[in-house]
Amino acid sequence: MKQAVIVLLLAVLFSCKSKTENKDITQTQEKPNILLIVVDDQGYNDFSPFKNHDKTISTPNITRLGKAGTVYTQAYVTAPVCSPSRAGIITGKNQFRWDKPASWGPGLPDNVKTIAEYLKEAGYQTARIGKNDLGQNFHKNDVREYPLNHGYDEFLGFSAHAHDYWLNSQSIKDRTPDPFGTSALLGPLMHNMGEKSYEEGYLTDIFTDESIAFLKRKRDKPFFLTLSYNAVHHLIHEVPKKYLDKYNVKEIPNYEPDSLVAYGKHDAGSYSAYYDKYSRIGAINTDDLRKYYLANLNCLDDNIGRVLDALKEQKLDKNTLIVFISDNGGSPLTGSNNAPLTGGKYSLWEGGIRVPMAVSWPGIVEAGKVETKYVSAADILPTLAKAGGATVTDTNIDGINLFEDANEDRLLVWKWQKTWAVRKGKWKVTNAKENHWKSEPSAQYIAPIRDDLTIKLFDVENDPGERNDVSAEHPEIVKELEAAYNTWCETNIKK
């Protein structure tokens, strides 16, 4: 009788089942391999598993990934820009718990554990390939923010906001007056406690090649691989020629230290000058910007397909749990499309924090399902920890296990610089104000109905585009949610 009760409880706990295989996690003979794919700045409407996606995109492999599992139409990240959002993803916590300014540089405190640390303790071989960005201590390998110091056995990538797609060699770094002179950098990639120079190659391809090499290794442990692409982040025009030809846009010459004139505040020959010139509308018009974005996204998709094919070739696909997520909404400065959502990266409008997300795990997660309940990127840590047999010891985790039945009225909170937001059920209260700060946005961008710090209320289930502020009609809901937000902050944010 006791055993029957235990089995029943476990069956309820893990209720995501395949339509074709009536199987739950308790029947899995071994721990799953885990692949966490994080992409950069993908537009909400540029996610082909969604029914009403933008039809100009070409992403058959992302479609394949989505069909293999469950797609989430209301997935939120914890911040509208990369550094704090990625901190939220790997810790399962709202990073402004410890980051009082709630801005670009949360860092990673010693007492906040990561999913890599939990899974390593549970017997996983852990690796991170690609972008590492927690907003502090860039380019250093002796700091908590460096992957080898928060749970990863191996790291190959860069530790900064962005990296040039083409220029990954020691020789170009030696010739550049400011290789670390902006939010992006160029030159060799960090590799464990050293560096690895690539005289040739495209960065998205390199990350894929290195990931496939990792998948092909013989091992006696399950793996946890974080594949953290910097596509489709700026510099958006840097794409292999076959993709540029497909979308009928010209090649723009790569950065060359001796070929530039002064641009703005930067000196001639600086990488900062080149990066700033091509990370806004101006040198690239808005029509071509969208085409460069589509080319970059198409290339990213082909690479994701290569990873999925490698899993199958290595007979790893049947027991690999895959999570796919974008680190924030599409950028207003790259040509991404967040429709029908207002705004984009840099703001707490839905377009900045609602993102593409999918989870697959053959036989466990239902294939072809579209989940409309709202979830958080903070849910990734407790979900993967449970699947991998790890025990989460932190009692202040903000995420929940995605394989459990979520509370449909759970409270989600956001804090971003001077703005904040709170969601409960269908209601969202926010003082969101747009902040794309570099230039005018691209043509795909949907401007907010009111661009100020006043409090607004939206029914985001029925009005995801936040076009109808109903705060005047429902002052009691505004009061209730604002009080809930303030209570959460007073209870949880480090004084």
Side-chain angles (χ1 to χ4, degrees), residues 137 158 161 164 181 199 208 282 296 307 369 433 476:
N137 291 316
F158 63 92
H161 289 311
D164 197 276
E199 291 299 325
T208 301
N296 203 304
V307 174
K369 180 180 178 182
K433 186 178 188 300
E476 74 286 355

Side-chain angles (χ1 to χ4, degrees), residues 230-250:
N230 58 315
V232 285
H233 191 286
H234 275 310
L235 294 169
I236 199 70
H237 70 274
E238 294 186 339
V239 189
K241 188 174 186 301
K242 68 175 182 178
Y243 297 99
L244 300 179
D245 291 345
K246 179 176 178 178
Y247 291 96
N248 194 30
V249 279
K250 66 179 181 180

